[in-house]
Amino acid sequence: MEKLREHLVVSLGNPLLDIVATVDSEFLDKYNLRPDNAILAKDEHMSLYKELVEKCNPDYIAGGSAQNTLRVCQWILQKPKIAAFFGCVGKDDYANILEKKATQDGLSVFYEYAVDAPTGTCAVLISNGHRSLCAHLAAANEFTVEHLQKPENRELWENARYFYITGFFLVINPPAVMQVAQHAYDSKSTFMLNLSASFVMQQFKEPLMAVMPYVKVLFGNVEEAKSFARAYDWETKDLKEIGLKLVALDKENCEGERIVIITQGPRPVLAFQGCAIKEYPVQRFTPEQIVDTTAAGDAFCGGFLAQYIQSKDLDVCIRCGIWAASQIIQHSGCTFEGKPSFRE
């Protein structure tokens, strides 16, 4: 086991300021949004953000899927700067809020600053205990490979041992992801990917399949797993069959078997490794206990990551992921308080 040290983990992602508000089904219908779904904003959604601010009294929370995951990981580790985050923001107050929140939570951030684009935002719409995400990436779209190549940045990520990437970021900059994936392979480090959203499989099949051979740990929820199967014409809706097919996809690094983890909300988490399938029960909550499911998946990955980089057993990693998700859904947005109480 490698000792916990600064910048052991590196992630590339989309730093976004979450605008969180409770809305009714009519609001979702107005903007063609669905519960428990995540999309990128189109022209029809541009007025959504203004309406939220003016009419819905929203909360503002530092967000972005990958940044959330690392913040949860840092909270559980209780040791600062283990994780480093790269992404692009604007030169504005939103970026200052993001950086302040991230560093308070122990994360090291290495933002690139876009000249002509504002910091990205994500509308987090809570309706009847479900959430719908609509992300306006703005400056997050402007991330460049050149930022990774700056000598001080390159030295940092080349010394990392674990890499966590979201499908959301794969959409933004496939060359940057491939560069990190290739380095992880060359250095015998661990490359992890979160499928993130159904549209990644539907609209970005080519970059997804290009990076898949480098993936040692793959995360996805039930909808994302089924979307993957549909996108690649697997002609099955059986989650266990899909999980085994994901494990069996071509793998560049032959050292160890790929791990695939599929979360199912309140139903058991499925873990696949080789031909083995394990189920892990999830704590049940009443509707009154669930405040916001927005970052449950991000938190699960954060909990998993906190144990995985310490070489803990897969059982411990998954149970910590489930515990982390259970904590986050009892708060608004990806927020937490106090010291973590997870025990192996």
Side-chain angles (χ1 to χ4, degrees), residues 203-216:
Q203 300 174 33
F204 299 92
K205 290 171 64 172
E206 186 174 335
L208 178 60
M209 290 310 290
V211 79
M212 192 60 68
Y214 299 93
V215 176
K216 173 66 185 294

PDB file of all heavy atoms in Angstrom, residues 203-216:
ATOM      1  N   GLN A 203     -24.355   9.873 -27.469  1.00  0.00           N
ATOM      2  CA  GLN A 203     -23.845  10.881 -28.404  1.00  0.00           C
ATOM      3  C   GLN A 203     -22.318  10.888 -28.544  1.00  0.00           C
ATOM      4  O   GLN A 203     -21.797  11.523 -29.460  1.00  0.00           O
ATOM      5  CB  GLN A 203     -24.307  12.268 -27.944  1.00  0.00           C
ATOM      6  CG  GLN A 203     -25.821  12.411 -27.878  1.00  0.00           C
ATOM      7  CD  GLN A 203     -26.238  13.744 -27.273  1.00  0.00           C
ATOM      8  OE1 GLN A 203     -25.574  14.761 -27.435  1.00  0.00           O
ATOM      9  NE2 GLN A 203     -27.362  13.744 -26.555  1.00  0.00           N
ATOM     10  N   PHE A 204     -21.606  10.183 -27.668  1.00  0.00           N
ATOM     11  CA  PHE A 204     -20.141  10.252 -27.689  1.00  0.00           C
ATOM     12  C   PHE A 204     -19.533   8.850 -27.612  1.00  0.00           C
ATOM     13  O   PHE A 204     -18.609   8.598 -26.851  1.00  0.00           O
ATOM     14  CB  PHE A 204     -19.645  11.148 -26.542  1.00  0.00           C
ATOM     15  CG  PHE A 204     -20.146  12.557 -26.640  1.00  0.00           C
ATOM     16  CD1 PHE A 204     -21.324  12.928 -26.006  1.00  0.00           C
ATOM     17  CD2 PHE A 204     -19.461  13.504 -27.384  1.00  0.00           C
ATOM     18  CE1 PHE A 204     -21.808  14.222 -26.107  1.00  0.00           C
ATOM     19  CE2 PHE A 204     -19.937  14.809 -27.492  1.00  0.00           C
ATOM     20  CZ  PHE A 204     -21.109  15.166 -26.853  1.00  0.00           C
ATOM     21  N   LYS A 205     -20.066   7.972 -28.437  1.00  0.00           N
ATOM     22  CA  LYS A 205     -19.630   6.572 -28.417  1.00  0.00           C
ATOM     23  C   LYS A 205     -18.151   6.424 -28.769  1.00  0.00           C
ATOM     24  O   LYS A 205     -17.437   5.633 -28.159  1.00  0.00           O
ATOM     25  CB  LYS A 205     -20.476   5.756 -29.401  1.00  0.00           C
ATOM     26  CG  LYS A 205     -21.904   5.570 -28.965  1.00  0.00           C
ATOM     27  CD  LYS A 205     -22.754   4.958 -30.074  1.00  0.00           C
ATOM     28  CE  LYS A 205     -22.296   3.558 -30.440  1.00  0.00           C
ATOM     29  NZ  LYS A 205     -23.228   2.904 -31.377  1.00  0.00           N
ATOM     30  N   GLU A 206     -17.686   7.186 -29.746  1.00  0.00           N
ATOM     31  CA  GLU A 206     -16.316   6.993 -30.224  1.00  0.00           C
ATOM     32  C   GLU A 206     -15.271   7.309 -29.156  1.00  0.00           C
ATOM     33  O   GLU A 206     -14.398   6.473 -28.877  1.00  0.00           O
ATOM     34  CB  GLU A 206     -16.071   7.826 -31.482  1.00  0.00           C
ATOM     35  CG  GLU A 206     -14.725   7.560 -32.121  1.00  0.00           C
ATOM     36  CD  GLU A 206     -14.554   8.281 -33.450  1.00  0.00           C
ATOM     37  OE1 GLU A 206     -15.570   8.586 -34.104  1.00  0.00           O
ATOM     38  OE2 GLU A 206     -13.393   8.540 -33.828  1.00  0.00           O
ATOM     39  N   PRO A 207     -15.301   8.495 -28.513  1.00  0.00           N
ATOM     40  CA  PRO A 207     -14.302   8.747 -27.456  1.00  0.00           C
ATOM     41  C   PRO A 207     -14.469   7.824 -26.261  1.00  0.00           C
ATOM     42  O   PRO A 207     -13.474   7.454 -25.616  1.00  0.00           O
ATOM     43  CB  PRO A 207     -14.534  10.211 -27.076  1.00  0.00           C
ATOM     44  CG  PRO A 207     -15.896  10.550 -27.582  1.00  0.00           C
ATOM     45  CD  PRO A 207     -16.126   9.695 -28.781  1.00  0.00           C
ATOM     46  N   LEU A 208     -15.698   7.409 -25.968  1.00  0.00           N
ATOM     47  CA  LEU A 208     -15.921   6.509 -24.848  1.00  0.00           C
ATOM     48  C   LEU A 208     -15.246   5.163 -25.101  1.00  0.00           C
ATOM     49  O   LEU A 208     -14.547   4.628 -24.224  1.00  0.00           O
ATOM     50  CB  LEU A 208     -17.421   6.318 -24.615  1.00  0.00           C
ATOM     51  CG  LEU A 208     -17.810   5.351 -23.487  1.00  0.00           C
ATOM     52  CD1 LEU A 208     -17.246   5.810 -22.147  1.00  0.00           C
ATOM     53  CD2 LEU A 208     -19.331   5.221 -23.418  1.00  0.00           C
ATOM     54  N   MET A 209     -15.422   4.623 -26.284  1.00  0.00           N
ATOM     55  CA  MET A 209     -14.822   3.324 -26.572  1.00  0.00           C
ATOM     56  C   MET A 209     -13.305   3.416 -26.745  1.00  0.00           C
ATOM     57  O   MET A 209     -12.584   2.444 -26.514  1.00  0.00           O
ATOM     58  CB  MET A 209     -15.464   2.709 -27.813  1.00  0.00           C
ATOM     59  CG  MET A 209     -16.903   2.272 -27.571  1.00  0.00           C
ATOM     60  SD  MET A 209     -17.133   1.257 -26.074  1.00  0.00           S
ATOM     61  CE  MET A 209     -16.328  -0.264 -26.572  1.00  0.00           C
ATOM     62  N   ALA A 210     -12.814   4.600 -27.127  1.00  0.00           N
ATOM     63  CA  ALA A 210     -11.364   4.781 -27.255  1.00  0.00           C
ATOM     64  C   ALA A 210     -10.677   4.703 -25.898  1.00  0.00           C
ATOM     65  O   ALA A 210      -9.573   4.164 -25.765  1.00  0.00           O
ATOM     66  CB  ALA A 210     -11.051   6.113 -27.927  1.00  0.00           C
ATOM     67  N   VAL A 211     -11.341   5.224 -24.877  1.00  0.00           N
ATOM     68  CA  VAL A 211     -10.715   5.248 -23.552  1.00  0.00           C
ATOM     69  C   VAL A 211     -11.021   3.989 -22.735  1.00  0.00           C
ATOM     70  O   VAL A 211     -10.297   3.655 -21.798  1.00  0.00           O
ATOM     71  CB  VAL A 211     -11.147   6.518 -22.771  1.00  0.00           C
ATOM     72  CG1 VAL A 211     -12.544   6.372 -22.178  1.00  0.00           C
ATOM     73  CG2 VAL A 211     -10.151   6.854 -21.670  1.00  0.00           C
ATOM     74  N   MET A 212     -12.070   3.266 -23.103  1.00  0.00           N
ATOM     75  CA  MET A 212     -12.513   2.128 -22.294  1.00  0.00           C
ATOM     76  C   MET A 212     -11.432   1.076 -22.041  1.00  0.00           C
ATOM     77  O   MET A 212     -11.357   0.518 -20.934  1.00  0.00           O
ATOM     78  CB  MET A 212     -13.743   1.483 -22.945  1.00  0.00           C
ATOM     79  CG  MET A 212     -14.462   0.483 -22.051  1.00  0.00           C
ATOM     80  SD  MET A 212     -15.089   1.207 -20.512  1.00  0.00           S
ATOM     81  CE  MET A 212     -16.378   2.269 -21.158  1.00  0.00           C
ATOM     82  N   PRO A 213     -10.556   0.766 -22.992  1.00  0.00           N
ATOM     83  CA  PRO A 213      -9.531  -0.254 -22.700  1.00  0.00           C
ATOM     84  C   PRO A 213      -8.599   0.096 -21.543  1.00  0.00           C
ATOM     85  O   PRO A 213      -7.956  -0.795 -20.977  1.00  0.00           O
ATOM     86  CB  PRO A 213      -8.753  -0.349 -24.017  1.00  0.00           C
ATOM     87  CG  PRO A 213      -9.722   0.072 -25.066  1.00  0.00           C
ATOM     88  CD  PRO A 213     -10.535   1.153 -24.411  1.00  0.00           C
ATOM     89  N   TYR A 214      -8.528   1.372 -21.186  1.00  0.00           N
ATOM     90  CA  TYR A 214      -7.629   1.805 -20.109  1.00  0.00           C
ATOM     91  C   TYR A 214      -8.319   1.822 -18.742  1.00  0.00           C
ATOM     92  O   TYR A 214      -7.672   2.078 -17.732  1.00  0.00           O
ATOM     93  CB  TYR A 214      -7.088   3.199 -20.414  1.00  0.00           C
ATOM     94  CG  TYR A 214      -6.281   3.271 -21.686  1.00  0.00           C
ATOM     95  CD1 TYR A 214      -6.880   3.617 -22.889  1.00  0.00           C
ATOM     96  CD2 TYR A 214      -4.916   2.967 -21.697  1.00  0.00           C
ATOM     97  CE1 TYR A 214      -6.145   3.670 -24.073  1.00  0.00           C
ATOM     98  CE2 TYR A 214      -4.176   3.017 -22.868  1.00  0.00           C
ATOM     99  CZ  TYR A 214      -4.798   3.366 -24.051  1.00  0.00           C
ATOM    100  OH  TYR A 214      -4.063   3.411 -25.211  1.00  0.00           O
ATOM    101  N   VAL A 215      -9.613   1.576 -18.722  1.00  0.00           N
ATOM    102  CA  VAL A 215     -10.398   1.740 -17.497  1.00  0.00           C
ATOM    103  C   VAL A 215     -10.250   0.522 -16.592  1.00  0.00           C
ATOM    104  O   VAL A 215     -10.611  -0.595 -16.969  1.00  0.00           O
ATOM    105  CB  VAL A 215     -11.889   1.971 -17.833  1.00  0.00           C
ATOM    106  CG1 VAL A 215     -12.710   2.046 -16.544  1.00  0.00           C
ATOM    107  CG2 VAL A 215     -12.065   3.253 -18.650  1.00  0.00           C
ATOM    108  N   LYS A 216      -9.738   0.765 -15.393  1.00  0.00           N
ATOM    109  CA  LYS A 216      -9.617  -0.302 -14.389  1.00  0.00           C
ATOM    110  C   LYS A 216     -10.873  -0.396 -13.529  1.00  0.00           C
ATOM    111  O   LYS A 216     -11.310  -1.485 -13.159  1.00  0.00           O
ATOM    112  CB  LYS A 216      -8.393  -0.050 -13.502  1.00  0.00           C
ATOM    113  CG  LYS A 216      -8.247  -1.009 -12.316  1.00  0.00           C
ATOM    114  CD  LYS A 216      -7.981  -2.434 -12.756  1.00  0.00           C
ATOM    115  CE  LYS A 216      -7.957  -3.412 -11.585  1.00  0.00           C
ATOM    116  NZ  LYS A 216      -6.849  -3.192 -10.659  1.00  0.00           N
TER     117      LYS A 216
END
